[in-house]
Amino acid sequence: MSKYRILFVDDDPDFRAEYRPELEAAGYEVIEADGEVHARELLAKESFDLAIVDLMMEKADSGFTLAFEMKKANSKLPIIMVSAVNSEMGLHFSLETEAERSWIKADAFLNKPIRFEQLKYELERLLGCSCCCGH
């Protein structure tokens, strides 16, 4: 069985280094992008089952822009947005209201710091599996 392919987009190499081994140990194939530009390059030539996207990268809204374009190209692609904007800037984003869901093109929003269990729960929920080892 093939593994689920995850596009992991975050400009923080420490964050990627912390979660990539856990994602791989859970059975996912992880392809990293260090920002919006790199993610666009990968998306142009590869397909993914899910994307984990940081909010603030090259620009303060890079994650919003990238998620919007990803959903425009493939509305079924699950996207988990992660951000430290709440703890760093005091801004709060969520997907609790219809208004927020209308412009935040993500299927889940996790505030950093996150526990791996939170991320794993959202992956399983969005991919429709509880095994994390393939389809």
Side-chain angles (χ1 to χ4, degrees):
M1 278 188 183
S2 63
K3 297 179 179 182
Y4 283 113
R5 297 187 81 223
I6 308 288
L7 176 60
F8 191 8
V9 188
D10 199 303
D11 61 344
D12 180 352
D14 293 332
F15 184 75
R16 294 192 321 267
E18 179 180 350
Y19 290 95
R20 181 181 184 146
E22 291 190 81
L23 290 165
E24 290 175 337
Y28 297 103
E29 179 183 354
V30 180
I31 291 68
E32 292 184 29
D34 61 6
E36 181 182 2
V37 173
H38 188 201
R40 288 176 197 277
E41 292 169 2
L42 290 169
L43 287 162
K45 59 185 177 183
E46 298 186 46
S47 63
F48 300 94
D49 297 301
L50 183 140
I52 300 168
V53 179
D54 186 26
L55 172 56
M56 295 173 48
M57 294 180 283
E58 292 95 332
K59 300 176 193 156
D61 66 347
S62 287
F64 288 145
T65 304
L66 183 60
F68 178 83
E69 291 179 8
M70 291 166 75
K71 285 290 192 180
K72 188 174 176 183
N74 179 1
S75 64
K76 300 212 183 299
L77 179 69
I79 298 173
I80 299 172
M81 190 162 295
V82 296
S83 180
V85 71
N86 189 22
S87 61
E88 289 181 7
M89 303 178 85
L91 298 174
H92 179 73
F93 294 104
S94 74
L95 298 173
E96 294 170 7
T97 68
E98 185 63 38
E100 288 173 315
R101 286 190 300 274
S102 73
W103 66 273
I104 299 175
K105 299 301 181 188
D107 300 285
F109 195 101
L110 298 175
N111 289 300
K112 292 179 182 177
I114 61 175
R115 294 184 335 274
F116 181 71
E117 293 77 20
Q118 290 175 289
L119 183 57
K120 183 179 174 190
Y121 171 82
E122 292 298 342
L123 287 164
E124 291 174 358
R125 181 179 71 82
L126 294 169
L127 292 170
C129 79
S130 59
C131 62
C132 284
C133 59
H135 301 275

